Amino acid sequence: MALFPDISTIRYEGPKSTNPLSFRHYNPDEVIEGKSMRDHFRFSVAYWHSFRGTGSDPFGPGCAHRPWEDGTDSVEMAIKRVRVAFEFMEKLGVPFYCFHDRDVAPEGKTLAETNANLDRVVAVLKEEQQRTGIKLLWGTANLFSNARYMHGAATSCNADAFAFAAAQVKKALEVTHELGGVNYVFWGGREGYSNLWNTDLKRELDHLARFFHLAVDYKKQIGFTGQFLIEPKPKEPTVHQYDFDAAACAAFLRTYGLINDFKLNIEANHATLAGHTMMHELAYASAYGLLGSIDANRGDLLLGWDTDQFPTDLYLTTGCMLVILGQGGLAPGGVNFDAKVRRESFEPVDLFHAHIGGMDAFAHGLKIAARIRADGVLRDFVKQRYQSWDGGIGQQIEQGKAGFVELEKYMLEKGNAAPNVSGRQEMLENLINRYFG
Ligand code: XLS
Ligand code: CA
Ligand code: CA
């Protein structure tokens, strides 16, 4: 069944190629810093955007041209859509995909009916995984679309919403396990609040932690060994999301004794919504040993909401790759394109252009980051900048050998601090630009 009849497998043709349906930088077998590009990125397609996105927005309904859709939300349509998705991913050459339970199969009238629908589609997902060798990077549960979650799921004021969410995640974990998923993501959906007049914040946080503990217990019970990931996001849909950013998630996980069971899935658009750069969020998560996977996309800084655009900015991808190379990679995580084509890009071929652009931007960024690291200029500069900590009083502080008394004595004797040296930000910015030439 050729659903993209005019498109053949996308190949690497090198930087000089002018064929828009080819890779100019992503060459899966090319080895950089001892690892193939395929293994550096572990690229993944997000089922929800690419196969359930219709291009609808608050001002109008969907207008995407998807010739395989029959206009129903039936299980039959869901199964046909799986075949389309796998043909797309095969032609694109991505090794992974991600989904929410409700992306792949329709919700029924009862939980039992919903689970049965999911089982039928999962059997086909499994078949297609086996046929193509494409694997599941992560599964997740949609705990935000159905009206029962209007007040949140694990943080709802309605205990039945918590119970339903638990049942839903239980099933999503089983399905992820069944499909050999290597991670499982928790994005906080409506876990947050819009105003404090009606909200018991402490009780909601306790419930959220309880929910995660139950998930960890069940993971162990079924022998699922995939990595659990929490995905920070500061706002949208609620004004105040509990998983605001990497720092808030780290504090939450530590407070509730969950720090060893979770890592973070960092998304670029969520980082900027939080007033950070993606590189900040990655560096922060990595510093705490919590960087597990990334959702690759970008926002539009002129709009300021979650536009989920495909990443094309080489400064962004180079920054990401500097941090990722710095921690030795992302596996078992990967680079998931949580991104959607613009409403105006309504033809199926636009899905190819979008992913090719994202993959090439990351591959190009990887090459640049590897060159920056090989030259060592940045690393040497930073090392030099902190040299006062490599010996003398700095070393004594780091080694816990100097307290306030010793530090006062040291300064009384010395009289004043050593003069500062320039941070040379502009010089370094110029230096980084040389690699983009
Ligand atoms: C929404 C999130 C979501 C998660 C998965 O903003 O990005 O798509 O990645 O639930
Ligand atoms: Ca995401
Ligand atoms: Ca997003």
Side-chain angles (χ1 to χ4, degrees):
M1 175 166 51
L3 289 148
F4 300 98
D6 306 331
I7 296 166
S8 42
T9 305
I10 310 298
R11 309 236 174 255
Y12 171 72
E13 292 183 5
K16 293 213 168 71
S17 173
T18 53
N19 172 8
L21 290 172
S22 74
F23 295 116
R24 295 168 62 246
H25 292 280
Y26 180 62
N27 181 7
D29 296 318
E30 187 173 332
V31 173
I32 290 183
E33 292 202 13
K35 196 160 40 175
S36 72
M37 283 200 184
R38 184 184 292 102
D39 291 342
H40 271 290
F41 298 118
R42 301 161 61 79
F43 282 130
S44 152
V45 166
Y47 205 94
W48 53 101
H49 281 313
S50 288
F51 293 97
R52 301 315 308 274
T54 61
S56 68
D57 68 13
F59 305 95
C63 55
H65 179 218
R66 300 288 181 257
W68 53 86
E69 292 287 335
D70 65 10
T72 69
D73 194 18
S74 62
V75 175
E76 288 64 37
M77 183 60 240
I79 289 172
K80 183 175 176 197
R81 203 180 282 124
V82 170
R83 311 276 186 210
V84 178
F86 275 80
E87 181 186 324
F88 171 78
M89 295 189 286
E90 224 183 341
K91 287 187 166 169
L92 186 63
V94 279
F96 291 98
Y97 72 111
C98 298
F99 67 79
H100 299 82
D101 48 3
R102 301 301 176 251
D103 305 334
V104 291
E107 195 151 2
K109 286 192 209 65
T110 61
L111 179 61
E113 203 180 294
T114 303
N115 286 350
N117 288 349
L118 187 55
D119 285 336
R120 283 180 62 196
V121 181
V122 164
V124 183
L125 287 168
K126 197 169 183 182
E127 197 183 297
E128 287 292 308
Q129 284 188 201
Q130 276 158 1
R131 183 184 69 75
T132 59
I134 294 169
K135 299 194 179 79
L136 180 62
L137 185 66
W138 47 265
T140 188
N142 177 330
L143 305 179
F144 43 89
S145 295
N146 191 289
R148 79 174 70 85
Y149 297 128
M150 64 172 66
H151 301 296
T155 64
S156 176
C157 47
N158 176 359
D160 262 12
F162 183 110
F164 199 104
Q168 202 179 319
V169 169
K170 174 180 177 289
K171 180 71 181 171
L173 281 172
E174 289 162 6
V175 157
T176 302
H177 188 34
E178 162 86 9
L179 292 172
V182 283
N183 301 270
Y184 183 89
V185 162
F186 296 84
W187 167 57
R190 297 181 191 275
E191 314 294 25
Y193 65 92
S194 292
N195 78 90
L196 275 178
W197 307 130
N198 66 4
T199 301
D200 186 338
L201 182 144
K202 173 69 166 62
R203 206 166 181 184
E204 291 198 357
L205 287 171
D206 288 349
H207 292 167
L208 188 57
R210 170 63 51 99
F211 195 88
F212 287 138
H213 274 291
L214 297 181
V216 171
D217 290 348
Y218 193 65
K219 172 189 181 183
K220 290 180 186 150
Q221 202 175 315
I222 62 173
F224 175 57
T225 53
Q227 175 69 55
F228 270 3
L229 299 162
I230 289 187
E231 183 178 320
K233 183 174 183 180
K235 51 187 159 187
E236 212 198 72
T238 72
V239 183
H240 306 272
Q241 297 273 138
Y242 292 131
D243 302 330
F244 189 95
D245 60 1
C249 289
F252 172 86
L253 291 171
R254 209 174 288 282
T255 303
Y256 287 99
L258 291 158
I259 197 83
N260 296 322
D261 293 300
F262 287 82
K263 288 194 176 182
L264 302 180
N265 180 43
I266 302 289
E267 177 177 319
N269 205 160
H270 298 180
T272 50
L273 287 176
H276 301 307
T277 60
M278 178 63 163
M279 205 173 165
H280 165 87
E281 283 293 86
L282 294 179
Y284 200 100
S286 185
Y288 281 179
L290 290 175
L291 176 54
S293 202
I294 72 170
D295 270 5
N297 63 12
R298 71 183 152 112
D300 186 322
L301 296 179
L302 298 179
L303 295 179
W305 64 82
D306 199 13
T307 59
D308 284 344
Q309 287 169 245
F310 277 83
T312 53
D313 178 350
L314 296 182
Y315 286 87
L316 168 68
T317 58
T318 300
C320 289
M321 292 320 296
L322 279 172
V323 183
I324 292 168
L325 291 174
Q327 73 159 30
L330 279 178
V335 176
N336 172 48
F337 289 109
D338 190 357
K340 58 188 175 202
V341 289
R342 296 305 86 193
R343 192 171 194 263
E344 301 89 328
S345 307
F346 62 91
E347 293 179 358
V349 70
D350 291 310
L351 292 172
F352 282 95
H353 291 306
H355 285 87
I356 290 169
M359 290 161 80
D360 257 353
F362 264 89
H364 200 166
L366 167 64
K367 292 182 196 169
I368 296 171
R371 272 168 39 218
I372 294 173
R373 281 162 55 84
D375 285 357
V377 193
L378 260 194
R379 188 188 49 230
D380 293 349
F381 185 90
V382 174
K383 174 103 185 88
Q384 176 72 18
R385 188 164 183 236
Y386 290 84
Q387 66 166 338
S388 68
W389 295 89
D390 294 336
I393 197 69
Q395 194 175 45
Q396 286 174 39
I397 297 170
E398 280 194 352
Q399 293 176 348
K401 290 182 182 152
F404 274 12
V405 174
E406 292 76 19
L407 293 173
E408 182 196 47
K409 181 165 175 285
Y410 166 78
M411 255 319 142
L412 284 172
E413 277 164 19
K414 193 163 181 181
N416 203 347
N420 281 311
V421 284
S422 170
R424 298 260 187 273
Q425 177 170 329
E426 295 76 8
M427 182 195 82
L428 293 172
E429 285 169 345
N430 299 346
L431 182 144
I432 291 293
N433 267 353
R434 293 212 308 257
Y435 294 87
F436 289 84

